[in-house]
Amino acid sequence: MPEHVVIVGSGPAGWTAAIYAARASLKPVVFEGAITEENRLQGTLPLGQLAMTTEVENYPGFPAGDLSEFFRTALPAEHHWMIDLHQKEGCSGPELMHLMRQQAVNFGTQIVTDDIVDVDFDSHPFKLKSLGGQEVEAHSVIIATGARANYLGLPSEEKYKNNGVSACAVCDGALPRFRDKPLVVVGGGDSAVEEADFLTKFASTVHLVHRRDELRASKIMSQRAIDNPKITIEWNSQVDEVLGNDTDGVTGVRLKSSVDDSTRELDASGAFMAIGHTPNTTFLEGKLEMTAKKYLKWTVPFRTNTSVEGVFAAGDVADDYYRQAITAAGTGCMSALDAERWLGAKGL
Ligand code: NAP
């Protein structure tokens, strides 16, 4: 029997879609992603990008206060380690994601810890194939696979991935190799500023390397970086080589000026990339319409429809503009309502 709705992805869009679909008695199946080394390196593990952040100060409903007792009662004991780890007030990204997942579970969502690697949208019911070899049929599909961090594309960067090069300060920042050492963060947006700020908890100093003379980050976040005595902003600079050796991994970076041909070197035991994102749509190439940047196209204004009837898209996979947890959750809700109405109209 085909499933009513299969949801691919497990960020705020996927879980919100699951909560709405489950409450509409559609018995959703969520493919939350596989736990593999490749996914870890790419930043595409289950629970998505929010699982790799720290405090979430802008998700409505968690203003402040010690919420640990609430988390302890809302989440099963296996997740309580996360609460003990989180010293500050309010809600952290991993906590928010586990709360959303648990809410979907509470309404009967079925979860498969695997990636979808192939889809057949040419015939109906649709067919989806997982990395682990599972095949599933579905009357409707919601794609909520999000986006992942970009890298500079330097061979030296590739060489030292997992040995000093990272795109996730929250995942890797506390590792012993980064403690009390100078670190580099590349980028000038909110992610770069947030990562630089976070890394000052561990590093002796953080060099924020930005290719222009003005940050792209919001004013409040930029000011936080400028005011932080442990952050030095390296203006008009690009990393043109990650320096290191086989024993120590990353030992520094070579910077090239964006305004002249000069180069200089910085000592660093880590280089954290925070230069934007790429949507997780490779498995959908040729199956759904995409933008030039490979984001899925919403084909009907104010709806989550894609170019294939019965397939919907939610969250960052179709949004390179807002990219917020709350907007992803919002479009996740919309996609479940769109799927429910489409299934109803088809009598499925
Ligand atoms: P972003 O805003 O697109 O910024 C990417 C940064 O990387 C830019 O400064 C860009 O430089 C730089 N960059 C891109 N390619 C580069 C390259 N090849 N070499 C060197 N530098 C490069 O991406 P983001 O910071 O990940 O933020 C994405 C969205 O999430 C934004 O809407 C942001 O507001 C949001 N966000 C919000 C929060 C928060 O509110 N707490 C936290 C994180 C992210 P240029 O400036 O020169 O283009």
Side-chain angles (χ1 to χ4, degrees), residues 58 151-152 186-192 194 209-212 214-218 221 237-238 274-277 321-324:
N58 51 12
Y151 287 89
L152 294 168
V186 184
D190 281 325
S191 299
E194 193 175 65
V209 176
H210 184 38
R211 61 186 178 184
R212 293 188 294 128
E214 189 189 2
L215 293 172
R216 179 179 294 280
S218 60
M221 306 235 337
S237 301
Q238 303 218 51
I275 56 168
H277 294 84
Y321 185 71
Y322 295 108
R323 295 188 285 200
Q324 301 300 304

Side-chain angles (χ1 to χ4, degrees), residues 212-245:
R212 293 188 294 128
D213 60 1
E214 189 189 2
L215 293 172
R216 179 179 294 280
S218 60
K219 279 221 162 57
I220 183 167
M221 306 235 337
S222 300
Q223 201 54 47
R224 219 176 274 177
I226 290 163
D227 292 345
N228 188 328
K230 285 178 90 176
I231 297 178
T232 309
I233 305 181
E234 310 293 349
W235 301 106
N236 295 316
S237 301
Q238 303 218 51
V239 169
D240 101 316
E241 188 86 284
V242 178
L243 308 171
N245 58 57

Side-chain angles (χ1 to χ4, degrees), residues 47-207:
L47 303 184
Q49 298 175 82
L50 265 179
M52 299 182 282
T53 61
T54 46
E55 283 72 35
V56 180
E57 295 174 338
N58 51 12
Y59 197 88
F62 300 94
D66 182 355
L67 303 173
S68 41
E69 268 322 296
F70 161 64
F71 293 138
R72 256 177 247 287
T73 52
L75 293 173
E78 71 210 71
H79 300 312
H80 289 180
W81 60 269
M82 189 170 44
I83 301 160
D84 299 329
L85 210 71
H86 179 210
Q87 304 290 326
K88 285 198 181 169
E89 292 198 328
C91 193
S92 74
E95 285 163 349
L96 184 60
M97 292 323 302
H98 278 282
L99 287 171
M100 287 192 193
R101 186 183 192 274
Q102 190 60 42
Q103 201 167 345
V105 168
N106 293 351
F107 290 114
T109 299
Q110 193 190 319
I111 298 172
V112 185
T113 307
D114 205 351
D115 284 333
I116 291 296
V117 290
D118 197 15
V119 296
D120 176 0
F121 292 154
D122 288 336
S123 55
H124 196 265
F126 305 124
K127 292 183 186 60
L128 301 94
K129 205 182 278 179
S130 82
L131 184 68
Q134 191 173 334
E135 292 192 18
V136 61
E137 289 193 333
H139 287 306
S140 71
V141 174
I142 295 172
I143 308 287
T145 44
R148 65 180 183 278
N150 290 340
Y151 287 89
L152 294 168
L154 303 168
S156 54
E157 173 192 52
E158 186 63 34
K159 181 174 175 189
Y160 296 116
K161 264 188 195 170
N162 228 3
N163 205 3
V165 169
S166 167
C168 180
V170 178
C171 321
D172 300 330
L175 295 174
R177 65 164 295 123
F178 301 128
R179 296 242 169 196
D180 302 315
K181 303 273 174 46
L183 299 176
V184 161
V185 174
V186 184
D190 281 325
S191 299
V193 166
E194 193 175 65
E195 300 230 328
D197 193 52
F198 175 77
L199 287 170
T200 58
K201 293 182 192 185
F202 313 106
S204 57
T205 184
V206 175
H207 300 278

Side-chain angles (χ1 to χ4, degrees), residues 277-279 281 290-295 320 323:
H277 294 84
T278 298
T281 52
M290 297 180 190
T291 68
K293 287 179 176 173
K294 307 282 184 198
Y295 284 81
D320 68 345
R323 295 188 285 200

